[in-house]
Amino acid sequence: MNYPMRRWQDHLPALQRRLALPQTSLQLCLLGMLGGLIAALLIICFRLAIIGIQGFFLEHADDFASIDAEIRWLLPLGGAACIGLIALFTGYKHYRLGIPFVIHRIKTAYGVMPFRNTLSQFFGGVVALASGFSVGREGPSVHLGAYGASTVGRYLKLPYNSVRILAGCGIAAGISASFNTPLAAMIFVMEVVLREYRIHVFIPIMLASVVGAMATQLVFGTDRELAALDIISLSVWHFPYLILCGVIFGAVAWFFNSNMMRLLTLFKKWPLLLRLALAGMVTALVGYLIPEAMGAETGAIQFAINSPTAIHLLLLILAGKMILTLFAIGLGVPGGIIGPVFGIGVVLGTILAIVPAVIVDNSSNAGTYAVLGMAGMMAATLHAPLAALVAVLELAANQHIILPAMLVIVTAYVTTVQFFNNKSIFLMQLDFMQLPYKLSPADDVLQKVGVLAVISQEYQVLANPDEQTVLASLDTLQPPTQLIIKRHTSDSLQFFTAQYDISLTLSGESAVQYTPIQGLSHQSTMAEVFAILEDEREGLVYIYQDDPAHPIGIIRWDQLRALLTKQNNLL
């Protein structure tokens, strides 16, 4: 009965050694697709839970204008109370949310997400989105996707460099399953989360993104949220005005990011429950007056589609959407920021379309400007220009948007960076939370190589030997073979390297020098080896698989130095 399991386990070490190498492999592609499928299933459950809850009181999903105002204002208050209870149940120390936390975990923990934190994100995100808070579903989706896919790597005990790639696969599948934008999801992961472009990472993430899109299409269909917008080709005389629009988008993105950080700073000492209560009250008040501003982005987008010339109402929705998003994200409501930014951009773009509409007495350009607003706001707020371009192309499903979108995105991005010194909202949040996300050049290289790719078998282990046995072994060893001494007592286990030391011989002491060495799991990367050896720049570590008492190999400093020199000439 156990024979198939033994066969599978026999092949696992070979798989682990293969994935320790930073190169494209069929095995990693298949695991990426599996991780993408798990991530997509989690996102589908997440979305279905939101739709199911909203079905009790909304005629259409995310359409909060369809219910009575007397009921509408109660939803965010009840939602804030439920989110507080979820945070209490999962533990406040696990209340780290959204894409910034995922970026932090990708850089410092290879994308491994804490379980209780994931529970808080799932159930808190469902309640937040179902009750009308102005947050996006991509925040929980990224978190859930990273958890689901990285769990595959942890279950198989794969090297952490491949677990990190699997986490990226889950993130791409999560975003793809949320918005049905597989290409934009892949670019977003490479541009914003991983912040690198390497072919052995790119391929499995691409496949996972495809799996995520296919899974969500089977459940929710192939409809795209911006397909209802009437997008037409713009003539060249629009382009000077589009440059001005890009400047406005860049300025609004700076205003949004800076005020978000002001709110975070202002309320950082408030207890979580009080912050959630305030977010609920603000959402209840604004939502009572401006229901289209509630929810992720659907309400604002639908109003912009149906009433592109109602400028005074669009201005009101823009202000309400901005306030609700700032207070929801700034006060710790679980959810993402991309969805609300989409809504803000669409409304702002529709407003700016009034100028050419007045000139030519035709409002047919409103849909095109709405999509351009979304592109400009996403690029300037998140510092993701390429992802913004691909996202609007996929969501709008219209190639006529490409050229004007490129002009608006570049102008918005340059404006917000050059004239307002605006940073990505994700990096600003990471700096505020004091969560590290930057790696040294050496760590950046070494995190991509597992210890199993470099491990050496040139060693001999002696358990509790006497001095004569050690001397005899040293006399027979040929460099670079190392002699490892294992000293095991009733309450401790230590490993040492043994080697001749002429200076000790001259002083009359034993001719053998014993140096303690540390052990690392076979899942570790060369970055952990470097952290141990970098101070002395000599010595070695031993590698173990399951039991620290049984080494399976060693890694010497000269091997680590050779790797660094070969990869980036860092030493």
Side-chain angles (χ1 to χ4, degrees), residues 467 470-471 474 498-501 504-505 509-514:
E467 189 77 7
V470 172
L471 290 172
L474 287 174
Q499 55 187 351
Y500 280 118
D501 190 324
L504 295 178
T505 305
E509 302 178 33
S510 168
V512 180
Q513 180 184 32
Y514 297 94

Side-chain angles (χ1 to χ4, degrees), residues 95-170:
Y95 198 79
R96 297 283 193 176
L97 306 172
I99 295 176
F101 180 67
V102 176
I103 294 174
H104 161 72
R105 295 293 295 187
I106 284 284
K107 292 297 184 181
T108 61
Y110 301 103
V112 175
M113 309 302 296
F115 175 70
R116 295 180 69 180
N117 182 266
T118 305
L119 282 180
S120 178
Q121 185 78 110
F122 183 93
F123 292 105
V126 167
V127 173
L129 285 158
S131 56
F133 284 100
S134 182
V135 294
R137 61 177 179 265
E138 82 290 334
S141 298
V142 164
H143 194 117
L144 296 171
Y147 175 83
S150 65
T151 299
V152 175
R154 286 184 292 155
Y155 176 74
L156 296 176
K157 297 183 179 180
L158 300 180
Y160 282 122
N161 62 305
S162 60
V163 173
R164 176 175 175 267
I165 297 174
L166 290 178
C169 292

Side-chain angles (χ1 to χ4, degrees), residues 336-493:
I337 202 171
I338 298 178
V341 166
F342 281 178
I344 291 170
V346 166
V347 174
L348 180 57
T350 305
I351 293 171
L352 293 175
I354 194 64
V355 173
V358 168
I359 294 175
V360 300
D361 193 23
N362 187 344
S363 62
S364 61
N365 295 320
T368 306
Y369 275 83
V371 176
L372 295 177
M374 190 187 77
M377 284 298 298
M378 180 178 177
T381 305
L382 311 181
H383 282 207
L386 185 56
L389 176 62
V390 177
V392 297
L393 179 59
E394 286 190 295
L395 288 170
N398 192 313
Q399 64 178 354
H400 294 300
I401 203 67
I402 296 177
L403 189 58
M406 293 174 67
L407 180 61
V408 167
I409 286 171
V410 170
T411 307
Y413 183 79
V414 171
T415 298
T416 200
V417 172
Q418 179 75 27
F419 298 104
F420 295 98
N421 196 27
N422 188 30
K423 294 174 62 178
S424 164
I425 187 61
F426 298 141
L427 300 187
M428 294 170 75
Q429 288 175 292
L430 282 166
D431 290 335
F432 172 80
M433 294 184 289
Q434 297 182 338
L435 295 176
Y437 60 92
K438 296 179 180 179
L439 298 175
S440 68
D443 283 338
D444 188 47
V445 169
L446 296 175
Q447 274 195 0
K448 298 174 177 61
V449 183
V451 293
L452 295 180
V454 186
I455 194 170
S456 170
Q457 301 296 323
E458 298 174 317
Y459 69 99
Q460 177 184 350
V461 178
L462 297 178
N464 296 319
D466 56 28
E467 189 77 7
Q468 294 303 317
T469 303
V470 172
L471 290 172
S473 296
L474 287 174
D475 289 338
T476 60
L477 289 182
Q478 296 294 324
T481 305
Q482 302 290 316
L483 181 61
I484 308 296
I485 306 300
K486 179 169 70 172
R487 300 201 183 279
H488 193 205
T489 64
S490 59
D491 58 350
S492 66
L493 173 66

